[in-house]
Amino acid sequence: MKSFSTKGIVLIVCLTLVLVGAWRYRAGRDWTPTLTINTPHYTIYSSATPEQTETVGKIADSLYDAYGAFLSSLNLSVKHKGIHKMKLFATREEFRNHNLITDWAEAFYQKPYCYQYFSEEERNPYHWMIHEATHQLNQEVANLSVSKWVDEGLADYFGSSCIISNRLVIGTIDPNTYPVWWLHLLAKSGDLEADKMNGSVIPLRAIISASGGPNIDESFNLYYLHWWSLMHFLLHGEAGKYRDGVSRIMTGESDVEGFEKHFGPIEAIEIEWYAYVLELKRKEL
Ligand SMILES: [Zn+2]
């Protein structure tokens, strides 16, 4: 009986991988938008309904305006003006199938597009889009080159703001957004040191340095809670005294050294941030 040589088996495995890869690639390319709309700041390729697409366009423009106003409030300027691109999928299933998503991503930004679906079943169907579109603005409008905690913190800050009459009101907090709906996971005991021990607080030094904390794939909700609440605290806590520092880290160093230069010792900020988190929890967001 003829048997396969090792070379033959390797060839068959390789061919199989190539065919599977080709199929997956084709699956990833076979999406045709049913409509394209242009707004003042975005071109949106969409398979969602015309009404959903128009609304997403309005909210995205509102984000763009809020982002510009935010930059000016920090004395920062728009570095680049242009039209930004989005792909809006009708359903979560379509979004995941087309983009071959196998992990927890609900939207993502990969230059030049923001990819998201219209999450009709959520009370706030826009927060995933706003999060990713903020990453897009961080890169394409403000040309930021910042540490992950700043990039994610800003995306969470905008993504978790309330939308009132189709307008994004930054600084407000919508409890029906990610990661705010996981707030109960943060600071469980009410005592900073105890919470570091029980794992419901990650030391801010680990957050800023992006090292020494728990495995991010296992604790991603907790990381997002830290990024969001730290940015919210720096922009609104302590009567806004850290806003100038935020402006400086957005244009300069945002590593541990930069953080301590602009805000002071991390462990001192950690105590104030922790009190701010407890206050947010007390308000039962
Ligand atoms: Zn993000």
Side-chain angles (χ1 to χ4, degrees):
M1 193 172 126
K2 194 177 173 186
S3 64
F4 288 112
S5 66
T6 309
K7 264 188 180 170
I9 291 170
V10 169
L11 183 65
I12 287 167
V13 169
C14 287
L15 274 173
T16 308
L17 288 174
V18 165
L19 286 172
V20 168
W23 177 80
R24 293 183 72 187
Y25 180 71
R26 200 163 59 81
R29 293 291 298 269
D30 273 356
W31 181 76
T32 307
T34 50
L35 76 156
T36 301
I37 68 162
N38 292 299
T39 77
H41 303 293
Y42 292 88
T43 296
I44 304 178
Y45 307 91
S46 171
S47 58
T49 68
E51 294 76 20
Q52 290 168 341
T53 309
E54 290 287 339
T55 314
V56 165
K58 281 196 180 82
I59 304 293
D61 278 335
S62 174
L63 165 68
Y64 185 93
D65 293 341
Y67 190 87
F70 173 74
L71 289 184
S72 339
S73 77
L74 295 176
N75 295 316
L76 300 174
S77 55
V78 168
K79 292 279 195 301
H80 181 76
K81 285 187 178 170
I83 297 296
H84 308 285
K85 294 180 177 178
M86 289 186 170
K87 290 187 180 179
L88 177 66
F89 297 84
T91 63
R92 184 173 190 266
E93 189 186 11
E94 186 187 37
F95 163 77
R96 292 180 71 82
N97 286 344
H98 172 70
N99 298 300
L100 309 174
I101 305 284
T102 52
D103 62 8
W104 39 268
E106 299 292 336
F108 65 96
Y109 164 59
Q110 191 173 74
K111 200 174 182 180
Y113 297 102
C114 263
Y115 298 77
Q116 62 268 311
Y117 61 94
F118 193 87
S119 40
E120 200 168 17
E121 285 159 23
E122 292 193 40
R123 291 173 92 169
N124 179 336
Y126 314 107
H127 64 118
W128 301 116
M129 177 274 284
I130 295 172
H131 180 106
E132 297 306 327
T134 304
H135 283 309
Q136 186 177 40
L137 297 177
N138 284 348
Q139 186 169 130
E140 297 178 15
V141 166
N143 287 0
L144 298 189
S145 174
V146 289
S147 304
K148 191 175 180 71
W149 74 270
V150 179
D151 193 27
E152 291 297 346
L154 289 170
D156 287 333
Y157 175 71
F158 282 86
S160 291
S161 293
C162 296
I163 296 164
I164 300 168
S165 304
N166 280 350
R167 198 170 68 83
L168 187 68
V169 184
I170 59 169
T172 55
I173 300 172
D174 183 349
N176 299 307
T177 59
Y178 183 86
V180 181
W181 62 44
W182 290 113
L183 189 55
H184 59 280
L185 298 179
L186 183 62
K188 284 183 174 171
S189 81
D191 178 85
L192 176 57
E193 292 311 314
D195 283 339
K196 284 183 187 173
M197 295 295 287
N198 69 29
S200 66
V201 162
I202 301 169
L204 285 194
R205 190 167 286 277
I207 294 293
I208 308 301
S209 64
S211 68
N215 183 322
I216 195 162
D217 288 329
E218 289 165 10
S219 305
F220 57 88
N221 291 327
L222 202 53
Y223 274 95
Y224 278 93
L225 282 167
H226 283 72
W227 293 324
W228 163 71
S229 60
L230 179 58
M231 185 56 70
H232 208 282
F233 163 73
L234 292 172
L235 289 167
H236 296 280
E238 299 291 316
K241 75 176 182 184
Y242 296 121
R243 283 184 76 89
D244 286 349
V246 174
S247 168
R248 285 192 285 270
I249 55 159
M250 283 173 68
T251 49
E253 325 83 64
S254 47
D255 56 4
V256 167
E257 206 181 340
F259 186 97
E260 298 207 303
K261 184 170 149 196
H262 299 306
F263 301 118
I266 292 182
E267 282 68 26
I269 298 292
E270 185 176 72
I271 291 168
E272 294 178 351
W273 159 79
Y274 184 79
Y276 191 77
V277 167
L278 294 186
E279 185 62 18
L280 291 177
K281 291 186 70 164
R282 197 188 58 73
K283 290 178 186 162
E284 293 182 353
L285 289 173

